[in-house]
Amino acid sequence: MSAASAEHHDHDDHHGPAPGLTRWLYTTNHKDIGTLYLLFSLLMFFIGGGMALIIRAELFQPGLQLVDPLFFNSMTTMHALVMIFGVVMPAFVGLANWMIPMMIGAPDMALPRLNNWSFWIMPFAFTLLLSTLFMEGGGPAGGWTLYAPLSLQGGDSFAFVIFSIHFMGISSVMGSINIVATIFNMRAPGMTLMKMPLFVWTWLITAFLLIAVMPVLAGAVTMLLTDRFFDTSFFSAAGGGDPVMYQHIFWFFGHPEVYILILPAFGIVSSIIPTFARKPLFGYASMVYATASIAFLSFIVWAHHMFTVGMPLAGEMFFMFATMMISVPTGVKVFNWIATMWRGSMTFETPMLFAVGFLVMFTIGGLSGLMLAITPADIQYHDTYFVVAHFHYVLVPGAIYSIMAATYYWLPKWTGNMYDEKWGKIHFWVSTIFLNVLFFPMHFVGLAGMPRRIPDYSMQFADWNAVATIGAFGFGFSQLIFVYVVFKCMKGGEKATDEVWEGADGLEWTVPSPAPYHTFETPPPIR
Amino acid sequence: MSIVSRWLLAASALLLGGQSALADINMPVGVTPISKEVYGLHMMIFWICCVIGAVVFGVMFYSMFKHRKSKGAKPADFHESTTVEIIWTAVPLVILIAMAIPAAKTLIAMEDTSDAEVTVKVTGYQWKWHYEYLDSGISFFSSLHPDHNAARQKGSGVDVSQFDNYLKEVDNELVLPVGKKVRFLHTSSDVIHSWWVPALAVKKDAIPGFINENWALIEEPGVYRGNCTELCGRDHGFMPVVVRALPEAEYDAWVAENAPAPAITESTGAAATTAVAAVEEDADREWGLDELVAKGEGIYNTNCASCHQANGQGLPGAFPAITGSPVATGPIDAHINTVYVGVSGTTMASFANQLSDVDMAAVLTYQRNALGNSVGDTVQPSAIKALR
Ligand SMILES: [Cu+2]
């Protein structure tokens, strides 16, 4: 395959980027496509965030003040779909596009045209999805899990939702195939698998998870489609179907999906902590094995999302034990990161702040996850705000913080300029304070009995909901600082060195800053 | 739960604003043996997690303060240790096993529904519950209390803080005995719901086509409130559960008072079942337009307004308007059929089992002669009775 990459004599490769808009439309360059993914994700972040603010505004006080309950439900549904499929996943794919070729010494992704297509499907998918909000009957309102039979009660716009999910799935699967092909075939000579940076490893495993489960989701929603529009009864009890079957299929996709949203984050943090501790990653091999075991376990724990559906006792036992097991490899990772910091020589620039924020708050989310694994207790927690608190702790200061950490970390390499450190730090601290004001009280109201996905609630939950709403608006608006810092850095600033960070290690830091349009046209030597 | 953990919890609650805050930030202990066990498990894992967190964060923050470049720390270069790796794989494993054993025991107890003395079938409807006592034949629907229902409408102008249990009050409470094992059978007539009462630690999905089991042995008389916890459509947030647990003697009296005469199997309210003869008579007599419309308004607001809206305008695309509806202003038989049979494949369910003859006649007459419609005719209860 190295012969194939040597023969890679496309015309464009000899020139810089094409001028104007066509550069972005026709580009097959991994850096351009990475940028497109990241900007798309940023845009979606504000759209999904706007929906979250509508939710929180309605929940500021008891009583219905602002929106109809049906619209409220479509906001919770859309917020989740946008944040998962439109923000976290594209951001990780964007980072993979930018960094994987540079980390393994490859000139580009293995399948550049497919790469272009994977990206350009996304804007169409999301236009389709978001347009349902303006159709008669409104957008999907049955929760992002689209449980049958409720989701089948939606209006005709439901067909658009399903097609948009199909598009997202196609895009993810193509992106994943590309990543697998790149990692297996395009590594510079000498870059053995066990020399690859952890970000590459975690993405390799994530890509396999995606290829395995996105088709399962596609199958599930296709059955919804035919149930809704073509009179089949896969999930309708009246027609001999089985509504619980939908949940099993959905979560067989859904649980690995949870790890798809966090494994690349593990990779990012594993790159950043050693840099700012000025010390190599502790337990590299065990990190790889832990990632692989988490990926394996993620396939056999799906029904822990369904402890109240009435499974047989043996099933509940199995899923409880398997779920608890996941905390072992996850714990190994956390311990390894701390051991990396131990007796290092640490500095706390913005990427490190976000990485440490990740470490602390992801661990909090992990611990509440352990509580949720205990089935008898889960029966009380299930479908309450305690669960909402849990998954927001692993997704916001988990996945989202890792993406921000990565952005600050690699931004100087992408733009050639240092970002504004002072504003970066302000962004971190303001976000972190508001984030905890927003999500921590959700643990309280959840334990005290507030169900999730409700537009109005009893007086006893009023105080903490008001607090959470204040946190939400603070957190939401403080993300404008992020936009300011990123665009300011794109425009100019202090010139970055090639190495950028004192303790940085890896091939991406050997190329000039900003990284030239084409890097590693001849493979670099690997130590 | 140990004395220490009790004390620590109280202390943390005090920090957060006094004793009363406790109930608002933690799981209730509950009033059944299972709920107490679950609470104990919850507190046990909570404290284990606190200890793990304290150790992990302690080491981490120590390192972050000590091992920083600004303090002149020089980086060590160790990056592997198989022994350490084995230790921090094995220790969590042991902790997990210690947690799993009591959890498994409680789980086994929760699933044991044998030897129940009272069985109640709980059916979820969009958006109310139907309770059926299989032993005594009592059965009724339970919906959000009309006052709360009026207050929770958008723009109602009602200050909801005046209610003691806003959104957790129903028209007909589920009455259960104290000290007897009660078995619940959960199912649904439309989408998936989930019946939850935190104080009983009972949460089970109500799934169409399935019957799930659960049980509770309530130890103290009182009123216990909960909600539907599985998203079930527009008014998911407005289908509360209220259980009133009575001492055995009072419970028996309640059953004796409400048990239906053998002929009648279905009614809209527990109280209504008493007046069997009166109901019979009501269904047969000729009703006037005004009394039907007056009665129909309440029925409409409880049963139809969630979808068709209190003003009859519906929600475009999801629920048709009743005002000016070709069905509600057209031939009577088609109108009756829509409500009696429902419209299959849509959320418009059959109300044949949900409304009595009089109630259905009233709500139909109301739709034809209110909400901006004025057809001028009536639907007589006898016409509905003839369909049964
Ligand atoms: Cu419900």
Side-chain angles (χ1 to χ4, degrees), chain B residues 127 129 192-194 228 230 232 236 239:
Chain B
W127 292 278
W129 297 102
I192 302 177
H193 303 264
S194 191
C228 174
E230 178 64 51
C232 57
H236 162 57
M239 50 184 292

Side-chain angles (χ1 to χ4, degrees), chain A residues 9-53:
Chain A
H9 284 314
D10 231 319
H11 254 292
D12 297 348
D13 283 12
H14 299 294
H15 311 296
L21 253 179
T22 52
R23 163 178 178 184
W24 303 106
L25 227 47
Y26 302 143
T27 184
T28 54
N29 179 289
H30 73 104
K31 300 189 182 80
D32 281 354
I33 294 173
T35 306
L36 284 173
Y37 266 114
L38 289 168
L39 291 176
F40 175 79
S41 157
L42 186 63
L43 174 68
M44 286 294 143
F45 185 49
F46 282 91
I47 293 177
M51 293 171 180
L53 292 188

Side-chain angles (χ1 to χ4, degrees), chain A residues 145-393:
Chain A
T145 48
L146 304 175
Y147 275 8
L150 179 63
S151 60
L152 301 175
Q153 291 187 342
D156 289 346
S157 71
F158 191 53
F160 290 78
V161 176
I162 289 179
F163 286 136
S164 79
I165 291 176
H166 279 150
F167 280 141
M168 294 170 207
I170 292 171
S171 164
S172 306
V173 170
M174 291 195 310
S176 304
I177 290 174
N178 207 347
I179 286 169
V180 172
T182 306
I183 296 174
F184 279 156
N185 298 310
M186 307 275 286
R187 279 171 288 132
M191 174 62 79
T192 60
L193 286 176
M194 288 310 270
K195 273 190 190 160
M196 295 193 310
L198 249 132
F199 180 67
V200 182
W201 255 117
T202 52
W203 240 118
L204 179 64
I205 292 169
T206 304
F208 275 109
L209 288 183
L210 274 165
I211 294 170
V213 301
M214 291 311 287
V216 177
L217 175 66
V221 298
T222 306
M223 287 186 265
L224 287 180
L225 184 80
T226 61
D227 269 10
R228 172 71 177 74
F229 295 101
F230 303 104
D231 282 339
T232 56
S233 309
F234 290 108
F235 307 127
S236 142
D242 180 345
V244 178
M245 181 61 102
Y246 175 81
Q247 300 187 16
H248 281 293
I249 302 174
F250 180 86
W251 286 113
F252 187 81
F253 145 80
H255 200 80
E257 171 70 20
V258 171
Y259 289 93
I260 288 164
L261 300 175
I262 203 69
L263 293 184
F266 291 167
I268 292 165
V269 172
S270 302
S271 299
I272 293 177
I273 291 181
T275 298
F276 295 94
R278 293 171 180 73
K279 194 167 150 280
L281 182 69
F282 186 86
Y284 171 88
S286 72
M287 285 298 222
V288 173
Y289 301 140
T291 311
S293 18
I294 291 175
F296 168 75
L297 288 173
S298 76
F299 281 104
I300 56 165
V301 296
W302 75 88
H304 70 210
H305 297 271
M306 306 163 51
F307 281 140
T308 60
V309 299
M311 266 183 288
L313 180 63
E316 293 186 330
M317 291 278 187
F318 171 80
F319 285 107
M320 170 164 80
F321 298 142
T323 304
M324 293 172 80
M325 284 300 294
I326 289 199
S327 55
V328 174
T330 314
V332 166
K333 288 192 155 285
V334 172
F335 301 145
N336 280 347
W337 288 320
I338 294 174
T340 307
M341 293 160 75
W342 189 254
R343 289 185 49 216
S345 171
M346 276 182 271
T347 50
F348 295 91
E349 288 87 346
T350 311
M352 182 63 163
L353 286 179
F354 275 95
V356 170
F358 169 96
L359 200 47
V360 174
M361 290 180 278
F362 174 79
T363 304
I364 293 177
L367 290 172
S368 60
L370 184 57
M371 297 175 73
L372 285 158
I374 310 291
T375 310
D378 177 76
I379 285 169
Q380 290 280 46
Y381 307 142
H382 179 72
D383 268 340
T384 69
Y385 260 82
F386 189 77
V387 177
V388 178
H390 159 72
F391 67 72
H392 280 94
Y393 262 89

